[in-house]
PDB file of all heavy atoms in Angstrom:
ATOM      1  N   ILE A 140     -14.540   9.474  16.697  1.00 87.00           N
ATOM      2  CA  ILE A 140     -13.703   8.811  15.692  1.00 87.00           C
ATOM      3  C   ILE A 140     -14.610   8.220  14.610  1.00 87.00           C
ATOM      4  O   ILE A 140     -15.532   7.461  14.922  1.00 87.00           O
ATOM      5  CB  ILE A 140     -12.871   7.688  16.337  1.00 87.00           C
ATOM      6  CG1 ILE A 140     -12.029   8.257  17.476  1.00 87.00           C
ATOM      7  CG2 ILE A 140     -11.981   7.013  15.301  1.00 87.00           C
ATOM      8  CD1 ILE A 140     -11.326   7.198  18.291  1.00 87.00           C
ATOM      9  N   PRO A 141     -14.366   8.550  13.337  1.00 90.00           N
ATOM     10  CA  PRO A 141     -15.188   7.992  12.250  1.00 90.00           C
ATOM     11  C   PRO A 141     -15.116   6.463  12.235  1.00 90.00           C
ATOM     12  O   PRO A 141     -14.026   5.881  12.366  1.00 90.00           O
ATOM     13  CB  PRO A 141     -14.560   8.583  10.986  1.00 90.00           C
ATOM     14  CG  PRO A 141     -13.855   9.814  11.458  1.00 90.00           C
ATOM     15  CD  PRO A 141     -13.368   9.503  12.839  1.00 90.00           C
ATOM     16  N   VAL A 142     -16.267   5.824  12.082  1.00 93.00           N
ATOM     17  CA  VAL A 142     -16.321   4.357  12.066  1.00 93.00           C
ATOM     18  C   VAL A 142     -15.487   3.779  10.926  1.00 93.00           C
ATOM     19  O   VAL A 142     -14.826   2.749  11.077  1.00 93.00           O
ATOM     20  CB  VAL A 142     -17.794   3.903  11.949  1.00 93.00           C
ATOM     21  CG1 VAL A 142     -17.881   2.406  11.680  1.00 93.00           C
ATOM     22  CG2 VAL A 142     -18.543   4.252  13.230  1.00 93.00           C
ATOM     23  N   THR A 143     -15.519   4.453   9.778  1.00 92.00           N
ATOM     24  CA  THR A 143     -14.777   3.931   8.625  1.00 92.00           C
ATOM     25  C   THR A 143     -13.277   3.841   8.920  1.00 92.00           C
ATOM     26  O   THR A 143     -12.620   2.866   8.548  1.00 92.00           O
ATOM     27  CB  THR A 143     -14.994   4.830   7.392  1.00 92.00           C
ATOM     28  OG1 THR A 143     -14.783   6.193   7.779  1.00 92.00           O
ATOM     29  CG2 THR A 143     -16.386   4.671   6.834  1.00 92.00           C
ATOM     30  N   ARG A 144     -12.735   4.850   9.616  1.00 91.00           N
ATOM     31  CA  ARG A 144     -11.292   4.821   9.922  1.00 91.00           C
ATOM     32  C   ARG A 144     -10.970   3.711  10.923  1.00 91.00           C
ATOM     33  O   ARG A 144      -9.928   3.053  10.831  1.00 91.00           O
ATOM     34  CB  ARG A 144     -10.840   6.181  10.480  1.00 91.00           C
ATOM     35  CG  ARG A 144     -10.770   7.255   9.419  1.00 91.00           C
ATOM     36  CD  ARG A 144      -9.989   8.464   9.850  1.00 91.00           C
ATOM     37  NE  ARG A 144      -9.890   9.416   8.769  1.00 91.00           N
ATOM     38  CZ  ARG A 144      -8.920   9.424   7.851  1.00 91.00           C
ATOM     39  NH1 ARG A 144      -7.966   8.511   7.924  1.00 91.00           N
ATOM     40  NH2 ARG A 144      -8.905  10.314   6.892  1.00 91.00           N
ATOM     41  N   LEU A 145     -11.890   3.478  11.878  1.00 92.00           N
ATOM     42  CA  LEU A 145     -11.676   2.392  12.831  1.00 92.00           C
ATOM     43  C   LEU A 145     -11.692   1.040  12.124  1.00 92.00           C
ATOM     44  O   LEU A 145     -10.859   0.165  12.398  1.00 92.00           O
ATOM     45  CB  LEU A 145     -12.777   2.428  13.905  1.00 92.00           C
ATOM     46  CG  LEU A 145     -12.593   3.424  15.045  1.00 92.00           C
ATOM     47  CD1 LEU A 145     -13.834   3.427  15.928  1.00 92.00           C
ATOM     48  CD2 LEU A 145     -11.363   3.062  15.885  1.00 92.00           C
ATOM     49  N   ILE A 146     -12.644   0.865  11.201  1.00 93.00           N
ATOM     50  CA  ILE A 146     -12.745  -0.400  10.469  1.00 93.00           C
ATOM     51  C   ILE A 146     -11.495  -0.633   9.624  1.00 93.00           C
ATOM     52  O   ILE A 146     -10.915  -1.724   9.623  1.00 93.00           O
ATOM     53  CB  ILE A 146     -14.016  -0.398   9.587  1.00 93.00           C
ATOM     54  CG1 ILE A 146     -15.257  -0.471  10.475  1.00 93.00           C
ATOM     55  CG2 ILE A 146     -13.984  -1.555   8.594  1.00 93.00           C
ATOM     56  CD1 ILE A 146     -16.565  -0.345   9.715  1.00 93.00           C
ATOM     57  N   VAL A 147     -11.072   0.403   8.887  1.00 92.00           N
ATOM     58  CA  VAL A 147      -9.880   0.271   8.038  1.00 92.00           C
ATOM     59  C   VAL A 147      -8.661  -0.089   8.885  1.00 92.00           C
ATOM     60  O   VAL A 147      -7.874  -0.981   8.534  1.00 92.00           O
ATOM     61  CB  VAL A 147      -9.628   1.588   7.263  1.00 92.00           C
ATOM     62  CG1 VAL A 147      -8.248   1.578   6.616  1.00 92.00           C
ATOM     63  CG2 VAL A 147     -10.701   1.784   6.198  1.00 92.00           C
ATOM     64  N   PHE A 148      -8.509   0.571  10.036  1.00 91.00           N
ATOM     65  CA  PHE A 148      -7.360   0.294  10.903  1.00 91.00           C
ATOM     66  C   PHE A 148      -7.413  -1.143  11.436  1.00 91.00           C
ATOM     67  O   PHE A 148      -6.405  -1.863  11.419  1.00 91.00           O
ATOM     68  CB  PHE A 148      -7.343   1.277  12.071  1.00 91.00           C
ATOM     69  CG  PHE A 148      -6.209   1.056  13.039  1.00 91.00           C
ATOM     70  CD1 PHE A 148      -4.915   1.426  12.704  1.00 91.00           C
ATOM     71  CD2 PHE A 148      -6.430   0.475  14.274  1.00 91.00           C
ATOM     72  CE1 PHE A 148      -3.861   1.221  13.579  1.00 91.00           C
ATOM     73  CE2 PHE A 148      -5.387   0.268  15.163  1.00 91.00           C
ATOM     74  CZ  PHE A 148      -4.103   0.637  14.816  1.00 91.00           C
ATOM     75  N   ALA A 149      -8.590  -1.577  11.907  1.00 93.00           N
ATOM     76  CA  ALA A 149      -8.720  -2.927  12.478  1.00 93.00           C
ATOM     77  C   ALA A 149      -8.449  -4.004  11.420  1.00 93.00           C
ATOM     78  O   ALA A 149      -7.739  -4.981  11.692  1.00 93.00           O
ATOM     79  CB  ALA A 149     -10.119  -3.097  13.066  1.00 93.00           C
ATOM     80  N   VAL A 150      -8.997  -3.807  10.224  1.00 93.00           N
ATOM     81  CA  VAL A 150      -8.799  -4.799   9.153  1.00 93.00           C
ATOM     82  C   VAL A 150      -7.330  -4.838   8.734  1.00 93.00           C
ATOM     83  O   VAL A 150      -6.740  -5.914   8.558  1.00 93.00           O
ATOM     84  CB  VAL A 150      -9.701  -4.467   7.944  1.00 93.00           C
ATOM     85  CG1 VAL A 150      -9.359  -5.354   6.758  1.00 93.00           C
ATOM     86  CG2 VAL A 150     -11.162  -4.639   8.320  1.00 93.00           C
ATOM     87  N   ALA A 151      -6.730  -3.647   8.583  1.00 89.00           N
ATOM     88  CA  ALA A 151      -5.315  -3.595   8.185  1.00 89.00           C
ATOM     89  C   ALA A 151      -4.440  -4.268   9.233  1.00 89.00           C
ATOM     90  O   ALA A 151      -3.529  -5.043   8.899  1.00 89.00           O
ATOM     91  CB  ALA A 151      -4.887  -2.137   8.000  1.00 89.00           C
ATOM     92  N   LEU A 152      -4.730  -4.008  10.513  1.00 89.00           N
ATOM     93  CA  LEU A 152      -3.935  -4.601  11.590  1.00 89.00           C
ATOM     94  C   LEU A 152      -4.064  -6.125  11.594  1.00 89.00           C
ATOM     95  O   LEU A 152      -3.067  -6.847  11.749  1.00 89.00           O
ATOM     96  CB  LEU A 152      -4.403  -4.029  12.936  1.00 89.00           C
ATOM     97  CG  LEU A 152      -3.492  -4.248  14.144  1.00 89.00           C
ATOM     98  CD1 LEU A 152      -2.157  -3.538  13.925  1.00 89.00           C
ATOM     99  CD2 LEU A 152      -4.165  -3.735  15.414  1.00 89.00           C
ATOM    100  N   ALA A 153      -5.285  -6.613  11.395  1.00 92.00           N
ATOM    101  CA  ALA A 153      -5.511  -8.061  11.397  1.00 92.00           C
ATOM    102  C   ALA A 153      -4.775  -8.735  10.236  1.00 92.00           C
ATOM    103  O   ALA A 153      -4.105  -9.764  10.419  1.00 92.00           O
ATOM    104  CB  ALA A 153      -7.012  -8.342  11.307  1.00 92.00           C
ATOM    105  N   VAL A 154      -4.877  -8.144   9.050  1.00 90.00           N
ATOM    106  CA  VAL A 154      -4.245  -8.754   7.874  1.00 90.00           C
ATOM    107  C   VAL A 154      -2.719  -8.711   7.984  1.00 90.00           C
ATOM    108  O   VAL A 154      -2.028  -9.683   7.644  1.00 90.00           O
ATOM    109  CB  VAL A 154      -4.727  -8.041   6.588  1.00 90.00           C
ATOM    110  CG1 VAL A 154      -3.911  -8.488   5.376  1.00 90.00           C
ATOM    111  CG2 VAL A 154      -6.201  -8.332   6.361  1.00 90.00           C
ATOM    112  N   LEU A 155      -2.180  -7.592   8.485  1.00 87.00           N
ATOM    113  CA  LEU A 155      -0.725  -7.497   8.646  1.00 87.00           C
ATOM    114  C   LEU A 155      -0.225  -8.490   9.700  1.00 87.00           C
ATOM    115  O   LEU A 155       0.863  -9.061   9.557  1.00 87.00           O
ATOM    116  CB  LEU A 155      -0.324  -6.073   9.029  1.00 87.00           C
ATOM    117  CG  LEU A 155      -0.466  -5.024   7.918  1.00 87.00           C
ATOM    118  CD1 LEU A 155      -0.103  -3.642   8.430  1.00 87.00           C
ATOM    119  CD2 LEU A 155       0.414  -5.388   6.723  1.00 87.00           C
ATOM    120  N   SER A 156      -1.021  -8.732  10.753  1.00 89.00           N
ATOM    121  CA  SER A 156      -0.639  -9.719  11.769  1.00 89.00           C
ATOM    122  C   SER A 156      -0.587 -11.114  11.163  1.00 89.00           C
ATOM    123  O   SER A 156       0.333 -11.897  11.434  1.00 89.00           O
ATOM    124  CB  SER A 156      -1.643  -9.685  12.930  1.00 89.00           C
ATOM    125  OG  SER A 156      -1.653  -8.418  13.536  1.00 89.00           O
ATOM    126  N   ILE A 157      -1.577 -11.426  10.331  1.00 90.00           N
ATOM    127  CA  ILE A 157      -1.600 -12.737   9.657  1.00 90.00           C
ATOM    128  C   ILE A 157      -0.392 -12.868   8.722  1.00 90.00           C
ATOM    129  O   ILE A 157       0.257 -13.913   8.659  1.00 90.00           O
ATOM    130  CB  ILE A 157      -2.920 -12.915   8.878  1.00 90.00           C
ATOM    131  CG1 ILE A 157      -4.088 -12.993   9.862  1.00 90.00           C
ATOM    132  CG2 ILE A 157      -2.869 -14.154   7.997  1.00 90.00           C
ATOM    133  CD1 ILE A 157      -5.456 -12.938   9.205  1.00 90.00           C
ATOM    134  N   LEU A 158      -0.085 -11.777   8.006  1.00 87.00           N
ATOM    135  CA  LEU A 158       1.069 -11.808   7.101  1.00 87.00           C
ATOM    136  C   LEU A 158       2.366 -12.050   7.869  1.00 87.00           C
ATOM    137  O   LEU A 158       3.193 -12.877   7.466  1.00 87.00           O
ATOM    138  CB  LEU A 158       1.159 -10.495   6.327  1.00 87.00           C
ATOM    139  CG  LEU A 158       2.382 -10.354   5.416  1.00 87.00           C
ATOM    140  CD1 LEU A 158       2.314 -11.358   4.263  1.00 87.00           C
ATOM    141  CD2 LEU A 158       2.520  -8.933   4.864  1.00 87.00           C
ATOM    142  N   HIS A 159       2.545 -11.337   8.988  1.00 85.00           N
ATOM    143  CA  HIS A 159       3.766 -11.520   9.788  1.00 85.00           C
ATOM    144  C   HIS A 159       3.861 -12.947  10.317  1.00 85.00           C
ATOM    145  O   HIS A 159       4.941 -13.537  10.345  1.00 85.00           O
ATOM    146  CB  HIS A 159       3.786 -10.514  10.940  1.00 85.00           C
ATOM    147  CG  HIS A 159       4.336  -9.181  10.540  1.00 85.00           C
ATOM    148  ND1 HIS A 159       5.691  -8.950  10.355  1.00 85.00           N
ATOM    149  CD2 HIS A 159       3.724  -8.013  10.256  1.00 85.00           C
ATOM    150  CE1 HIS A 159       5.882  -7.697   9.999  1.00 85.00           C
ATOM    151  NE2 HIS A 159       4.706  -7.102   9.925  1.00 85.00           N
ATOM    152  N   PHE A 160       2.730 -13.513  10.735  1.00 88.00           N
ATOM    153  CA  PHE A 160       2.737 -14.894  11.215  1.00 88.00           C
ATOM    154  C   PHE A 160       3.130 -15.841  10.076  1.00 88.00           C
ATOM    155  O   PHE A 160       3.954 -16.750  10.263  1.00 88.00           O
ATOM    156  CB  PHE A 160       1.349 -15.269  11.756  1.00 88.00           C
ATOM    157  CG  PHE A 160       1.269 -16.680  12.242  1.00 88.00           C
ATOM    158  CD1 PHE A 160       1.701 -17.010  13.522  1.00 88.00           C
ATOM    159  CD2 PHE A 160       0.783 -17.701  11.421  1.00 88.00           C
ATOM    160  CE1 PHE A 160       1.652 -18.323  13.971  1.00 88.00           C
ATOM    161  CE2 PHE A 160       0.730 -19.010  11.861  1.00 88.00           C
ATOM    162  CZ  PHE A 160       1.172 -19.324  13.144  1.00 88.00           C
ATOM    163  N   ALA A 161       2.541 -15.619   8.889  1.00 87.00           N
ATOM    164  CA  ALA A 161       2.838 -16.487   7.738  1.00 87.00           C
ATOM    165  C   ALA A 161       4.310 -16.374   7.338  1.00 87.00           C
ATOM    166  O   ALA A 161       4.951 -17.388   7.010  1.00 87.00           O
ATOM    167  CB  ALA A 161       1.935 -16.105   6.562  1.00 87.00           C
ATOM    168  N   LEU A 162       4.863 -15.163   7.389  1.00 83.00           N
ATOM    169  CA  LEU A 162       6.273 -14.989   7.008  1.00 83.00           C
ATOM    170  C   LEU A 162       7.216 -15.679   8.000  1.00 83.00           C
ATOM    171  O   LEU A 162       8.298 -16.130   7.629  1.00 83.00           O
ATOM    172  CB  LEU A 162       6.612 -13.495   6.931  1.00 83.00           C
ATOM    173  CG  LEU A 162       6.006 -12.714   5.768  1.00 83.00           C
ATOM    174  CD1 LEU A 162       6.316 -11.225   5.902  1.00 83.00           C
ATOM    175  CD2 LEU A 162       6.514 -13.236   4.432  1.00 83.00           C
ATOM    176  N   GLY A 163       6.783 -15.758   9.250  1.00 83.00           N
ATOM    177  CA  GLY A 163       7.669 -16.326  10.265  1.00 83.00           C
ATOM    178  C   GLY A 163       7.463 -17.787  10.549  1.00 83.00           C
ATOM    179  O   GLY A 163       8.355 -18.435  11.117  1.00 83.00           O
ATOM    180  N   HIS A 164       6.314 -18.367  10.148  1.00 86.00           N
ATOM    181  CA  HIS A 164       6.007 -19.726  10.571  1.00 86.00           C
ATOM    182  C   HIS A 164       5.624 -20.681   9.440  1.00 86.00           C
ATOM    183  O   HIS A 164       5.238 -21.817   9.706  1.00 86.00           O
ATOM    184  CB  HIS A 164       4.869 -19.703  11.600  1.00 86.00           C
ATOM    185  CG  HIS A 164       5.226 -18.982  12.869  1.00 86.00           C
ATOM    186  ND1 HIS A 164       5.090 -17.611  13.014  1.00 86.00           N
ATOM    187  CD2 HIS A 164       5.729 -19.433  14.040  1.00 86.00           C
ATOM    188  CE1 HIS A 164       5.483 -17.251  14.225  1.00 86.00           C
ATOM    189  NE2 HIS A 164       5.879 -18.323  14.868  1.00 86.00           N
ATOM    190  N   THR A 165       5.659 -20.251   8.208  1.00 87.00           N
ATOM    191  CA  THR A 165       5.356 -21.162   7.101  1.00 87.00           C
ATOM    192  C   THR A 165       6.589 -21.305   6.209  1.00 87.00           C
ATOM    193  O   THR A 165       7.446 -20.414   6.176  1.00 87.00           O
ATOM    194  CB  THR A 165       4.171 -20.644   6.249  1.00 87.00           C
ATOM    195  OG1 THR A 165       4.566 -19.417   5.615  1.00 87.00           O
ATOM    196  CG2 THR A 165       2.950 -20.389   7.113  1.00 87.00           C
ATOM    197  N   PHE A 166       6.640 -22.418   5.479  1.00 85.00           N
ATOM    198  CA  PHE A 166       7.806 -22.647   4.611  1.00 85.00           C
ATOM    199  C   PHE A 166       7.916 -21.561   3.534  1.00 85.00           C
ATOM    200  O   PHE A 166       8.997 -21.030   3.274  1.00 85.00           O
ATOM    201  CB  PHE A 166       7.692 -24.025   3.945  1.00 85.00           C
ATOM    202  CG  PHE A 166       8.764 -24.255   2.912  1.00 85.00           C
ATOM    203  CD1 PHE A 166      10.060 -24.584   3.285  1.00 85.00           C
ATOM    204  CD2 PHE A 166       8.474 -24.095   1.552  1.00 85.00           C
ATOM    205  CE1 PHE A 166      11.055 -24.765   2.335  1.00 85.00           C
ATOM    206  CE2 PHE A 166       9.462 -24.277   0.595  1.00 85.00           C
ATOM    207  CZ  PHE A 166      10.755 -24.614   0.983  1.00 85.00           C
ATOM    208  N   ILE A 167       6.757 -21.245   2.933  1.00 84.00           N
ATOM    209  CA  ILE A 167       6.778 -20.230   1.867  1.00 84.00           C
ATOM    210  C   ILE A 167       7.213 -18.872   2.421  1.00 84.00           C
ATOM    211  O   ILE A 167       8.000 -18.153   1.804  1.00 84.00           O
ATOM    212  CB  ILE A 167       5.391 -20.127   1.204  1.00 84.00           C
ATOM    213  CG1 ILE A 167       5.094 -21.416   0.435  1.00 84.00           C
ATOM    214  CG2 ILE A 167       5.315 -18.921   0.273  1.00 84.00           C
ATOM    215  CD1 ILE A 167       3.717 -21.483  -0.158  1.00 84.00           C
ATOM    216  N   GLY A 168       6.710 -18.547   3.621  1.00 84.00           N
ATOM    217  CA  GLY A 168       7.086 -17.276   4.230  1.00 84.00           C
ATOM    218  C   GLY A 168       8.579 -17.209   4.529  1.00 84.00           C
ATOM    219  O   GLY A 168       9.231 -16.198   4.282  1.00 84.00           O
ATOM    220  N   LYS A 169       9.120 -18.312   5.055  1.00 84.00           N
ATOM    221  CA  LYS A 169      10.554 -18.332   5.357  1.00 84.00           C
ATOM    222  C   LYS A 169      11.381 -18.282   4.066  1.00 84.00           C
ATOM    223  O   LYS A 169      12.434 -17.629   4.014  1.00 84.00           O
ATOM    224  CB  LYS A 169      10.887 -19.596   6.150  1.00 84.00           C
ATOM    225  CG  LYS A 169      10.310 -19.580   7.572  1.00 84.00           C
ATOM    226  CD  LYS A 169      10.588 -20.895   8.287  1.00 84.00           C
ATOM    227  CE  LYS A 169       9.976 -20.892   9.685  1.00 84.00           C
ATOM    228  NZ  LYS A 169      10.166 -22.194  10.381  1.00 84.00           N
ATOM    229  N   ALA A 170      10.893 -18.986   3.025  1.00 84.00           N
ATOM    230  CA  ALA A 170      11.607 -18.955   1.737  1.00 84.00           C
ATOM    231  C   ALA A 170      11.603 -17.545   1.158  1.00 84.00           C
ATOM    232  O   ALA A 170      12.603 -17.074   0.602  1.00 84.00           O
ATOM    233  CB  ALA A 170      10.948 -19.930   0.769  1.00 84.00           C
ATOM    234  N   LEU A 171      10.471 -16.850   1.322  1.00 82.00           N
ATOM    235  CA  LEU A 171      10.374 -15.481   0.806  1.00 82.00           C
ATOM    236  C   LEU A 171      11.326 -14.557   1.557  1.00 82.00           C
ATOM    237  O   LEU A 171      12.043 -13.760   0.951  1.00 82.00           O
ATOM    238  CB  LEU A 171       8.931 -15.006   0.948  1.00 82.00           C
ATOM    239  CG  LEU A 171       8.512 -13.787   0.118  1.00 82.00           C
ATOM    240  CD1 LEU A 171       7.055 -13.927  -0.313  1.00 82.00           C
ATOM    241  CD2 LEU A 171       8.675 -12.505   0.881  1.00 82.00           C
ATOM    242  N   ARG A 172      11.376 -14.702   2.883  1.00 79.00           N
ATOM    243  CA  ARG A 172      12.281 -13.861   3.677  1.00 79.00           C
ATOM    244  C   ARG A 172      13.735 -14.173   3.354  1.00 79.00           C
ATOM    245  O   ARG A 172      14.579 -13.275   3.285  1.00 79.00           O
ATOM    246  CB  ARG A 172      12.013 -14.093   5.162  1.00 79.00           C
ATOM    247  CG  ARG A 172      10.730 -13.427   5.651  1.00 79.00           C
ATOM    248  CD  ARG A 172      10.362 -13.878   7.049  1.00 79.00           C
ATOM    249  NE  ARG A 172      11.452 -13.685   7.986  1.00 79.00           N
ATOM    250  CZ  ARG A 172      11.707 -14.519   9.005  1.00 79.00           C
ATOM    251  NH1 ARG A 172      10.948 -15.583   9.192  1.00 79.00           N
ATOM    252  NH2 ARG A 172      12.698 -14.284   9.811  1.00 79.00           N
ATOM    253  N   ALA A 173      14.038 -15.469   3.145  1.00 81.00           N
ATOM    254  CA  ALA A 173      15.411 -15.852   2.807  1.00 81.00           C
ATOM    255  C   ALA A 173      15.830 -15.242   1.469  1.00 81.00           C
ATOM    256  O   ALA A 173      16.963 -14.780   1.312  1.00 81.00           O
ATOM    257  CB  ALA A 173      15.521 -17.370   2.752  1.00 81.00           C
TER     258      ALA A 173
END
Side-chain angles (χ1 to χ4, degrees):
I140 303 172
V142 170
T143 49
R144 287 196 177 271
L145 279 174
I146 290 175
V147 168
F148 179 75
V150 172
L152 195 63
V154 170
L155 289 177
S156 299
I157 293 170
L158 176 67
H159 275 284
F160 179 83
L162 289 174
H164 297 86
T165 65
F166 173 78
I167 292 175
K169 291 176 182 177
L171 197 146
R172 285 170 54 215

